[in-house]
Amino acid sequence: MKGDNAMTRKTTHAGLLIVDVQNDFCAGGALAVPGSEQVVSTLSRYIEEAVANDVRIYASRDWHPAVTRHFKTHGGEWPAHCVQGTDGARFRAALHLSSDAVVITKGEHPDSPGYSAFEGHTPEGQSFLADLRERGIEHLYIAGLATDYCVKHSVLDALSAGLKVTVLGDAIAGVDATPGDSARAMVEIREKGAHVVAGAGSLTNAATSLAPERFVGLRPPS
Ligand code: VGL
């Protein structure tokens, strides 16, 4: 429809959740996810667009203690990664995260892997979900690392909380410790109600690819 721009159609608030784009999950990191560099460059464009459209940006981070049952050294599954205060735990500089992005910290408990951003909290100590509710954000665009762990668990928790979820398929990458894990994760999140857009390239395209009855504008109602 002419003049009916997705950016200005107003229905409800949208937020962008960038999951765990930290050095240890990127090239050269302790748990480098194949394809992470592509994710970083694609996400940088989504971030610019979100900033331009007042879409609140959340960036989750794994923030593990040095001793946690999550790590192989203490009976867990993974090499040590994203240890609090280390370079590996820093956000990838190439991501160009905006300064007003809200950092969601998770994985601090030594007994829990903390895969989901919904286990995390804001710098003020508020839960991620409480912050979303406070802002009236009902639709989350989700991307980042890794498809088969933190992205998957974050998406499932978002859906359980009743949020609409669009997964940006061109800005995710998986570990695939067992081949097919990421593909299976995608099947599962779709079955649970996530909308997955492949190669949307922009939030506007992602938004308009939804069926009209599911469409949610990027901008808050005014
Ligand atoms: C993650 C494996 C281990 C993730 C975290 O961020 O998806 N994957 N810990």
Side-chain angles (χ1 to χ4, degrees):
M1 209 188 311
K2 249 202 167 133
D4 188 12
N5 184 334
M7 297 292 195
T8 55
R9 262 196 267 175
K10 298 180 179 76
T11 45
T12 187
H13 297 235
L16 171 64
L17 169 64
I18 299 167
V19 178
D20 298 13
V21 181
Q22 296 165 271
N23 286 329
D24 271 339
F25 294 124
C26 294
L31 186 39
V33 177
S36 60
E37 297 313 293
Q38 181 61 46
V39 167
V40 170
S41 62
T42 307
L43 260 173
S44 296
R45 282 187 279 119
Y46 282 116
I47 289 170
E48 269 178 41
E49 194 189 2
V51 169
N53 286 280
D54 298 327
V55 171
R56 190 164 168 86
I57 300 174
Y58 297 90
S60 69
R61 64 174 182 182
D62 250 358
W63 197 245
H64 297 307
V67 175
T68 161
R69 289 171 54 190
H70 189 48
F71 294 167
K72 275 183 187 156
T73 43
H74 298 86
E77 202 179 335
W78 305 104
H81 61 275
C82 300
V83 173
Q84 294 164 9
T86 63
D87 190 55
R90 295 171 76 92
F91 290 116
R92 195 69 163 169
L95 189 62
H96 302 304
L97 210 51
S98 54
S99 56
D100 55 1
V102 180
V103 176
I104 300 294
T105 298
K106 65 190 181 64
E108 295 161 297
H109 199 285
D111 290 330
S112 154
Y115 289 132
S116 167
F118 287 84
E119 293 177 52
H121 59 82
T122 68
E124 291 75 38
Q126 193 169 37
S127 75
F128 178 36
L129 185 59
D131 193 273
L132 292 168
R133 297 267 196 251
E134 196 174 288
R135 310 267 160 185
I137 294 172
E138 295 171 16
H139 188 156
L140 269 186
Y141 291 79
I142 301 182
L145 306 169
T147 309
D148 35 356
Y149 290 93
C150 292
V151 171
K152 174 179 114 173
H153 287 274
S154 300
V155 169
L156 293 177
D157 281 351
L159 292 168
S160 298
L163 298 163
K164 294 191 179 74
V165 176
T166 298
V167 176
L168 302 168
D170 56 354
I172 54 174
V175 177
D176 283 320
T178 302
D181 278 353
S182 295
R184 282 185 288 275
M186 296 306 278
V187 169
E188 185 178 347
I189 62 174
R190 277 196 177 97
E191 278 173 2
K192 296 269 164 60
H195 180 71
V196 180
V197 286
S202 83
L203 293 176
T204 310
N205 289 347
T208 50
S209 74
L210 290 171
E213 68 275 13
R214 297 183 69 195
F215 180 85
V216 176
L218 294 181
R219 282 191 185 270
S222 57

